[in-house]
């Protein structure tokens, strides 16, 4: 009987240690992912702004004689860049919120697992948490894909409208 109690205590200590390590690793990973995503979002935003400025400068110089036309093109590019920036901001905020929720869920799961009274209960809790974490991740990926698709569509809409108007204008001038 004493050996069984001792084995259970060792198992509980091992589970607690493993849970604490997993929690620390998860937190470090989440923080690193959040920092990386934020840095990437800032780089994308800066690159987008630079590209926008370059395109705007070239368009203004190339279409100087069509002042009204170039003004409309510039407005379309601003609307496009604004839509793209909004998409990046939405994805960034969504990523931060998901990371925070995942962290909180992980901590709650670790606390729950630390209080398990048997290996069977621990395995059931761990399986349940892993399943819900995977489902949440897949849902988040789907959500991010939807946001990205909508952002790209919204970003290209003003430019596509201007291209169509330009083609129609140049065909009418022939």
């Amino acid at each position: 009987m004493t050996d069984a109690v001792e084995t259970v205590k060792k198992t509980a200590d091992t589970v607690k240690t493993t849970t604490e390590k997993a929690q620390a690793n998860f937190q470090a990973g989440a923080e690193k992912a959040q920092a990386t995503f934020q840095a990437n979002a800032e780089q994308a935003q800066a690159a987008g702004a630079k590209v926008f400025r370059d395109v705007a400068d070239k368009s203004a110089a190339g279409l100087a004689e069509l002042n009204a036309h170039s003004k409309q093109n510039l407005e379309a590019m601003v609307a496009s860049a604004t839509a793209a920036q909004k998409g990046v901001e939405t994805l960034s905020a969504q990523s931060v919120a998901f990371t925070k929720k995942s962290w909180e869920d992980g901590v709650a799961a670790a606390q729950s697992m630390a209080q398990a009274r048997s290996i069977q209960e621990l395995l059931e809790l761990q399986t349940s948490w892993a399943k819900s974490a995977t489902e949440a991740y897949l849902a988040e990926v789907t959500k991010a894909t939807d946001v990205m698709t909508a952002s790209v569509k919204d970003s290209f809409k003003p430019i596509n409208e201007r291209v169509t108007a330009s083609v129609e204008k140049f065909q009418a001038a022939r």
Side-chain angles (χ1 to χ4, degrees):
M1 185 69 162
T2 303
D3 289 339
V5 170
E6 194 171 304
T7 301
V8 169
K9 286 182 181 178
K10 285 181 182 178
T11 301
D13 289 342
T14 301
V15 168
K16 182 177 179 183
T17 302
T18 302
T19 301
E20 289 170 353
K21 286 180 183 178
Q23 182 178 2
N25 288 340
F26 184 80
Q27 181 179 10
E31 290 171 357
K32 184 178 178 182
Q34 182 178 358
T36 300
F37 186 83
Q38 186 66 33
N40 289 343
E42 290 171 0
Q43 287 176 350
Q45 185 176 3
K50 184 184 181 317
V51 168
F52 169 74
R53 285 190 300 270
D54 291 347
V55 171
D57 291 345
K58 289 177 184 178
S59 294
L63 301 174
E65 68 276 359
L66 301 173
N67 189 28
H69 185 73
S70 65
K71 180 181 176 190
Q72 293 170 340
N73 288 344
L74 185 60
E75 289 170 353
M77 291 187 323
V78 168
S80 177
T82 301
Q85 182 176 357
K86 182 181 176 195
V88 169
E89 289 171 357
T90 300
L91 283 172
S92 179
Q94 182 178 328
S95 175
V96 169
F98 176 73
T99 300
K100 181 181 178 191
K101 174 133 177 45
S102 294
W103 169 248
E104 291 169 353
D105 291 348
V107 169
Q111 290 171 345
S112 177
M113 285 183 238
Q115 296 173 0
R117 294 187 179 133
S118 68
I119 296 297
Q120 179 67 26
E121 182 181 355
L122 174 65
L123 291 175
E124 289 172 1
L125 289 170
Q126 184 180 21
T127 301
S128 174
W129 173 76
K131 181 181 176 186
S132 66
T134 301
E135 289 171 352
Y137 174 75
L138 292 174
E140 189 65 22
V141 168
T142 300
K143 187 176 171 185
T145 301
D146 292 345
V147 168
M148 181 65 97
T149 301
S151 177
V152 169
K153 182 180 175 183
D154 292 345
S155 296
F156 281 107
K157 183 179 179 187
I159 293 174
N160 286 338
E161 290 172 353
R162 287 304 309 142
V163 168
T164 300
S166 296
V167 168
E168 290 172 355
K169 183 174 183 177
F170 289 127
Q171 284 180 344
R174 288 171 123 201

